[in-house]
Amino acid sequence: MLWYILAVAALLPWIQLMINGRLGLKRVPRLENLPEPDAVELQTLGRLSVVVAARNEEQHLEKALRSLAAQEHPDCEIIVVNDRSTDRTGEILDRLAAENPERIKPLHITELPEGWLGKCNALHQGGEAATGNYILFADADVEFAPGVLLRSHAYAKREEADQFTAFPETVADTFFEHAMLNVFALSFMLGFPPHRAMIRNSGKYVGVGAFNMVSTQIYRRIQGHKFLRLQVVDDVGLGKLIKFSGGKIRLAWGMGQIKVRWQEDLWATIKGLEKNFFASTNYSVTKTLAMCVGVLILFVWPWIGIWFGPTGARAVSGVALALQILVAAVAAVKARFSPIHGLTAQAGALLLLIAMLRSMIITLKRGGITWRDSFYPIKDLKQFRL
């Protein structure tokens, strides 16, 4: 009986992922296909505020800001919050602001208020300073293709969206980075199916730090990032607040239009998830271990189950494996990776598992997280669980 349970447990999520993927591709538009606003829309579009939080981003900031400053939007302010940087971030920001005084508005923070995460405080301060009818929250290492802001702002306003999120293209260099990121994306799709987030009463929500555009009206109504001030996964948290405040959600695929280099290499990617994974389960050991077991069953078991147990169970595992290869390959192609990653899901899953367990163990050992040179105890982080 156990063989059948494991086989079915591995199969059903892949069926769901296949359905989610098909519906997601059908119902979620591509950012590059969103129409340009016509003359009437341009007259009533209004201002767009872009808020970028930057701490020690000297390596990426200039390229990201130049891609924003070059956007064709007729009325766009770019508020860049320099959050206590100790490198050349502030210097680069001031130089670019001097070159683009009509667009780039620097905001330098020198102290972190008690009870706030640095990034959340920076986003909140930037959001408070925003004067547009929509605010785009973006990371300091994101590059935007020409026309992205204009099309996105017009689409959000046309749809009367309270939140418009676009999934970026994640740039990675190595084979196993691609394998791990592909598995991460599939896991995300299973937990946060995009097409369902757009249904008002679905209870599903989403948020992406690279591109989170929200209406200023609802952002003021939920009091900015006040209730997210100790939320490590602030982008998803913002999406949750907006969804459960009755907000209307719209999404788009941003591959080729929005690009982000997540980390510099595989090990940096694993380390970079240190603060996120345990936080995503609200620092629950039980939930984290259950998630790890789920990853093993979903991605690894089909490769084992085809060799062991009764014939029927092996057949079910075989179907699960075939679906895994198909769905993972399609996901890899959509992410602009190689289709060969249809065969690397188990390897990517094991790397993801290492990141998950490492996040839990290190956070428990330290009694909290260290993020951008600041330490935050678990007991404080748990105060603002959503």
Side-chain angles (χ1 to χ4, degrees):
M1 179 62 71
L2 179 60
W3 300 104
Y4 284 99
I5 292 173
L6 289 171
V8 172
L11 174 63
L12 293 180
W14 286 111
I15 295 174
Q16 187 61 53
L17 270 169
M18 186 170 64
I19 295 171
N20 288 350
R22 185 172 180 81
L23 292 176
L25 291 174
K26 181 180 179 181
R27 298 180 183 178
V28 178
R30 293 182 64 87
L31 187 51
E32 62 188 356
N33 294 335
L34 297 182
E36 297 274 355
D38 58 28
V40 175
E41 284 182 304
L42 271 177
Q43 291 180 350
T44 59
L45 190 58
R47 171 171 290 184
L48 173 66
S49 299
V50 182
V51 173
V52 177
R55 176 171 169 81
N56 294 341
E57 291 284 357
E58 65 179 7
Q59 185 176 355
H60 306 287
L61 184 63
E62 181 159 356
K63 188 177 287 187
L65 288 189
R66 288 198 182 279
S67 75
L68 282 170
Q71 292 290 311
E72 301 162 0
H73 197 292
D75 189 5
C76 175
E77 63 176 2
I78 305 165
I79 302 169
V80 186
V81 187
N82 173 27
D83 178 26
R84 302 165 293 132
S85 295
T86 57
D87 64 0
R88 295 176 53 249
T89 294
E91 175 189 333
I92 294 169
L93 171 57
D94 288 338
R95 172 167 54 82
L96 293 176
E99 293 177 13
N100 302 272
E102 298 297 320
R103 287 216 155 177
I104 299 178
K105 300 180 179 180
L107 180 59
H108 297 278
I109 292 178
T110 57
E111 295 182 2
L112 177 64
E114 186 177 352
W116 282 82
L117 291 175
K119 183 183 178 183
C120 295
N121 176 60
L123 294 175
H124 184 76
Q125 296 297 329
E128 288 286 294
T131 59
N133 53 34
Y134 275 86
I135 305 171
L136 170 62
F137 294 101
D139 292 332
D141 55 356
V142 181
E143 294 180 47
F144 299 85
V148 166
L149 297 191
L150 183 59
R151 294 197 309 275
S152 298
H153 189 191
Y155 177 74
K157 191 169 183 182
R158 191 182 306 125
E159 292 287 315
E160 298 182 340
D162 294 297
Q163 179 194 15
F164 174 49
T165 291
F167 298 98
E169 178 181 340
T170 304
V171 179
D173 295 331
T174 68
F175 181 85
F176 285 106
E177 274 183 280
H178 290 169
M180 180 177 170
L181 291 174
N182 201 40
V183 169
F184 180 86
L186 288 167
S187 302
F188 187 89
M189 284 277 291
L190 189 61
F192 300 93
H195 68 283
R196 300 221 32 217
M198 295 193 296
I199 302 172
R200 285 214 180 205
N201 60 354
S202 69
K204 295 295 182 180
Y205 50 91
V206 73
V208 178
F211 195 99
N212 241 3
M213 185 180 289
V214 303
S215 74
T216 304
Q217 182 179 22
I218 200 167
Y219 185 70
R220 302 283 183 241
R221 196 168 82 214
I222 63 175
Q223 301 181 57
H225 279 71
K226 178 180 177 181
F227 294 104
L228 300 169
R229 58 184 179 268
L230 285 171
Q231 272 290 316
V232 174
V233 193
D234 60 275
D235 48 2
V236 177
L238 183 60
K240 186 174 183 178
L241 275 180
I242 292 172
K243 185 62 177 286
F244 287 97
S245 296
K248 182 179 181 181
I249 313 301
R250 286 294 177 264
L251 307 171
W253 302 111
M255 278 66 79
Q257 301 294 297
I258 307 167
K259 294 184 179 182
V260 58
R261 179 69 169 97
W262 207 3
Q263 298 291 343
E264 298 308 314
D265 53 39
L266 176 61
W267 180 240
T269 300
I270 292 173
K271 288 180 65 178
L273 291 168
E274 179 182 301
K275 71 182 188 306
N276 295 76
F277 267 133
F278 200 36
S280 70
T281 65
N282 287 324
Y283 308 98
S284 167
V285 173
T286 302
K287 289 181 181 179
T288 302
L289 293 178
M291 189 182 296
C292 290
V293 171
V295 167
L296 287 172
I297 292 174
L298 180 60
F299 292 100
V300 179
W301 180 256
W303 295 85
I304 300 172
I306 59 173
W307 301 105
F308 300 99
T311 302
R314 281 187 284 152
V316 175
S317 293
V319 175
L321 180 57
L323 286 180
Q324 178 187 120
I325 293 171
L326 173 64
V327 174
V330 171
V333 171
K334 294 300 179 183
R336 300 196 170 191
F337 300 156
S338 168
I340 195 67
H341 289 293
L343 298 171
T344 64
Q346 77 287 359
L350 292 175
L351 291 169
L352 195 67
L353 198 65
I354 291 171
M356 294 166 69
L357 291 172
R358 184 179 183 276
S359 173
M360 180 182 72
I361 292 168
I362 288 180
T363 304
L364 289 174
K365 184 178 179 180
R366 291 175 177 168
I369 65 166
T370 299
W371 190 6
R372 301 283 183 164
D373 303 320
S374 297
F375 179 75
Y376 307 96
I378 290 180
K379 62 180 180 64
D380 293 341
L381 297 172
K382 283 185 174 182
Q383 292 179 27
F384 286 88
R385 291 181 296 181
L386 288 179

